[in-house]
Amino acid sequence: MTFRGRPGLFRDARRLLPSGRGPLLRKALPVAAALPPVAAAWIGVTGWLAHSELRAAQDDLNALRTAVTAAAASGPAAASAGAPAESDQERLLRSAAAHAARAHDLTTGPAWYTAAALPLVGGPLETVRGIAQASDRLAGDVLPPLLRAVPRLTAGAHTGGVPRALTELGGQAPAFDRAARAADEVRSAVRRLDRSTWLPAADRGRAQLADQLDRLVPRTRDAAVAARWVPSMLGTQGPRRYFLSFQNTAEARGTGGLPGAFAVVRADRGRLTFERFGNNTELEGVGADVDLGDEFEAQYGNNGPAAVWANSNMSPHFPYAGRIWTEAWRTHTGQGLDGAIAIDPGTLGLLLRATGPARMPDGTELTADNTVDLTERASYATFTDVAQRKAFFVEAARAAAARMMTAFDDPSLLPALLSAVQDVQREGRMQLWSAHPAEQRLLETAGLAGALPDTPGPFAGLVVNNAAGTKLDYYLDRSLVWSPGACTDTGRAVTVTVTLANRAPVSGLPHYVTQRVDHPPYPTRAGDNRLLVSYYAGIGATLTGATLDGRKVALIPGAERGHPVYTLDLELPRQSSRTLVLHLREPRADHPPTLLRQALVTPMRATVRPTEPCGS
């Protein structure tokens, strides 16, 4: 938003102008000389004043950010006496808006308009005008409804608990919508400004503002969407019940991991309680009467996802799993549910970092650092009895859930919890499905639904399903490199390189971890794994060839939600890596692909090579 740390726009200009070197300046100087001296002086003075105003606005916003953070983290006593703090926030907001408005006023008028329109010379002046106008709109239209909501939400949490805060959040939805639209309009205007002028300080200011907007716009959009779905899903309009699955990512499935321990969660006016805990043994053999379409049946029907609980989430499109799980629960208990939620030990670790550790009945402490290792590796060595191990998983889930509920009722922890939830969302470790269509649409808009998009455009998705019944995906490494090639009349050539590595040790693993329930007809060793490897290409793409470790290989074609899917049944020996290369013809596009990130124990390393424009 400002040129922090710089001596000013026009001091940089003075450094450039006296030398007169370079073809650009030789062309620009005669044009600049045509400006009336008074107009040039006016632009210089007002430009410096505008720069000072923008710096003052930035200082106010920095102070405001500190004040808001302190107020959100303060205790009930501070909230109950929070009028002065709120007054300070309002004062800082008004001051920032006033400074930004003056900067905008200073860079308008005939002199600025005319100078900014001059060829060659006017570029940085137009950029400065754009920065000032954007700052004015940010301080006047975008930040006020967002920042003014914070004290109300915080006070609601402190004085009336989470239900009061949720009511306040729902009441802010129209204001959040207006702020999100304004933020998006400001970002579009800044993106239209010239990225490279003859004045580096102006370019840096535009780049800094663009970077801030790229972070702000998604947050305003998320706040607007959350204000419309969070209150209702947490039961402000009546009790809700959800199926919560704790996925075991040591055995990969399309949505993350094998559905293991589970709970039924009740939400009533913002209060969450756990009505029941169980493990996957209880649901084995329970079928779900759902029709997910011919395409789903063709892709997964042979694996019986609606009848075999362990295969219920092979598709990476989480709404399919949500429908299967809730319908299976109806079949099993007669109880209807309002939706489904999937998390994994990585989710628990991120949340426990915000809440502090949880303690199990046997004294075991679950922390941010040990949850994944304890539940997905160490427990297999500790418990040789399957029933004991499954009971341990349920108790771990129960202990973590109890810690979350305690934290949820502690307003001082809400900022840290919200930050942790953002981390979980960014890693794709929490997926939500609502049986209420309007809410489901909002979840998909917010990127929380784990939905496989069905829109055109470049796309790259690597999905693995464990086909061996092992727990060896704890040791799985994945990498994907997407390399665009030349454009033709029929599309763009794309090369995708997928490398999978099995880091399982050669000895020391429990039999339950390494056992091959697929009973392959070829010899294997303890630690060898088998995966169904699927690559999801962009809608309209075709496969022109593929190699595995340098040799041609045939892939099984399929389709899901319009995406071509190419699958390989891959044996992956311990302490080895294998490389699959796909050559594709994608529809012409000048932007990078949307990446599907399947959340497993070790995140996938993804590299997207630069995309050159196809031209006209």
Side-chain angles (χ1 to χ4, degrees):
M1 183 180 295
T2 68
F3 305 98
R4 181 171 298 279
R6 300 296 302 167
L9 292 175
F10 293 90
R11 190 178 302 176
D12 280 346
R14 289 196 298 271
R15 290 176 179 174
L16 289 172
L17 291 176
S19 69
R21 298 193 189 98
L24 177 60
L25 289 179
R26 285 198 296 272
K27 295 177 181 178
L29 285 173
V31 180
L35 283 172
V38 174
W42 174 259
I43 290 171
V45 171
T46 54
W48 174 253
L49 293 174
H51 169 66
S52 299
E53 294 289 352
L54 288 174
R55 290 199 60 166
Q58 183 68 63
D59 290 341
D60 284 339
L61 292 177
N62 289 338
L64 179 60
R65 185 183 303 112
T66 301
V68 168
T69 302
S74 61
S80 62
E86 185 172 351
S87 176
D88 286 344
Q89 293 172 23
E90 288 288 344
R91 177 184 58 78
L92 288 167
L93 182 60
R94 286 196 301 271
S95 178
H99 285 302
R102 283 196 290 270
H104 183 205
D105 289 342
L106 285 164
T107 54
T108 56
W112 274 89
Y113 180 83
T114 302
L118 289 172
L120 302 177
V121 175
L125 301 182
E126 179 62 26
T127 296
V128 172
R129 293 181 73 227
I131 291 172
Q133 183 178 20
S135 301
D136 185 25
R137 285 209 68 189
L138 283 175
D141 298 337
V142 177
L143 297 181
L146 299 176
L147 295 174
R148 286 168 184 161
V150 172
R152 296 180 63 182
L153 294 173
T154 304
H158 287 309
T159 60
V162 174
R164 172 71 179 275
L166 292 174
T167 302
E168 292 286 353
L169 179 64
Q172 298 299 312
F176 286 171
D177 282 337
R178 290 192 295 271
R181 287 194 297 270
D184 195 52
E185 291 169 1
V186 171
R187 181 171 66 169
S188 297
V190 170
R191 284 178 171 178
R192 289 193 294 270
L193 295 174
D194 193 350
R195 293 172 177 267
S196 179
T197 70
W198 55 266
L199 191 59
D203 299 341
R204 284 191 293 272
R206 188 215 63 82
Q208 181 187 14
L209 180 56
D211 181 64
Q212 292 174 348
L213 286 165
D214 284 342
R215 294 194 300 271
L216 177 64
V217 168
R219 291 176 182 176
T220 58
R221 186 184 303 122
D222 289 347
V225 173
R228 285 183 281 157
W229 68 263
V230 169
S232 61
M233 285 195 70
L234 290 183
T236 58
Q237 299 173 11
R240 295 286 189 88
R241 287 182 175 84
Y242 301 98
F243 186 90
L244 173 62
S245 174
F246 297 91
Q247 299 186 111
N248 183 353
T249 50
E251 184 174 346
R253 289 295 185 272
T255 64
L258 182 77
F262 70 86
V264 175
V265 185
R266 176 185 171 92
D268 188 2
R269 291 173 294 177
R271 299 294 181 187
L272 297 180
T273 55
F274 289 83
E275 294 186 340
R276 184 170 178 180
F277 284 89
N279 62 57
N280 54 344
T281 302
E282 180 180 347
L283 295 168
E284 289 176 358
V286 177
D289 185 13
V290 293
D291 181 3
L292 300 177
D294 294 339
E295 194 177 68
F296 179 89
E297 181 65 24
Q299 185 73 12
Y300 301 105
N302 289 340
N303 298 290
V308 180
W309 185 254
N311 293 340
S312 58
N313 59 336
M314 290 184 67
S315 166
H317 185 60
F318 181 70
Y320 289 154
R323 290 180 60 186
I324 291 172
W325 292 347
T326 53
E327 188 58 34
W329 188 252
R330 185 194 302 273
T331 300
H332 182 52
T333 66
Q335 182 185 57
L337 297 173
D338 294 286
I341 308 167
I343 61 176
D344 64 14
T347 308
L348 298 180
L350 290 169
L351 295 176
L352 289 172
R353 192 173 302 282
T355 66
R359 190 170 297 277
M360 297 174 59
D362 65 359
T364 300
E365 191 174 69
L366 293 174
T367 70
D369 297 323
N370 75 0
T371 299
V372 174
D373 181 77
L374 188 63
T375 58
E376 301 204 334
R377 187 197 62 81
S379 60
Y380 291 108
T382 302
F383 299 100
T384 57
D385 181 79
V386 174
Q388 288 182 335
R389 184 169 54 252
K390 290 182 180 294
F392 174 83
F393 291 156
V394 172
E395 289 304 321
R398 193 192 304 271
R403 185 68 188 96
M404 301 306 161
M405 294 306 97
T406 302
F408 198 59
D409 288 332
D410 183 350
S412 67
L413 290 177
L414 284 180
L417 270 173
L418 290 175
S419 178
V421 169
Q422 287 181 334
D423 292 337
V424 170
Q425 179 185 359
R426 184 169 55 252
E427 295 187 16
R429 295 192 177 278
M430 179 171 63
Q431 300 149 319
L432 308 176
W433 174 75
S434 173
H436 304 267
E439 290 176 356
Q440 177 61 21
R441 288 191 292 271
L442 291 173
L443 290 173
E444 293 186 10
T445 299
L448 288 168
L452 179 64
D454 57 358
T455 53
F459 190 85
L462 172 63
V463 176
V464 297
N465 276 281
N466 188 296
T470 66
K471 300 297 183 288
L472 291 169
D473 297 325
Y474 184 89
Y475 305 97
L476 178 66
D477 283 342
R478 300 161 296 153
S479 71
L480 181 148
V481 179
W482 191 89
S483 302
C487 296
T488 68
D489 292 340
T490 58
R492 180 192 289 276
V494 172
T495 300
V496 177
T497 303
V498 172
T499 303
L500 300 167
N502 180 357
R503 297 180 288 101
V506 297
S507 62
L509 293 178
H511 173 70
Y512 188 82
V513 172
T514 64
Q515 65 179 335
R516 295 292 296 265
V517 299
D518 58 328
H519 304 297
Y522 45 83
T524 61
R525 302 168 301 173
D528 292 352
N529 204 4
R530 180 183 168 199
L531 303 171
L532 290 179
V533 182
S534 297
Y535 180 78
Y536 288 68
I539 293 174
T542 57
L543 182 70
T544 59
T547 62
L548 178 64
D549 299 331
R551 297 183 178 180
K552 289 184 178 181
V553 65
L555 305 182
I556 303 170
E560 186 165 1
R561 289 178 58 81
H563 291 271
V565 183
Y566 303 101
T567 300
L568 176 67
D569 190 336
L570 178 69
E571 183 70 22
L572 187 60
R574 68 190 188 197
Q575 295 292 303
S576 73
S577 65
R578 309 201 68 178
T579 300
L580 173 66
V581 178
L582 301 93
H583 300 284
L584 300 133
R585 181 73 59 187
E586 290 264 10
R588 292 175 60 154
D590 295 337
H591 55 89
T594 298
L595 288 175
L596 185 158
R597 293 185 181 271
Q598 180 187 20
L600 297 180
V601 177
T602 302
M604 180 183 73
R605 298 185 305 276
T607 303
V608 175
R609 304 293 188 201
T611 303
E612 297 295 333
C614 284
S616 58

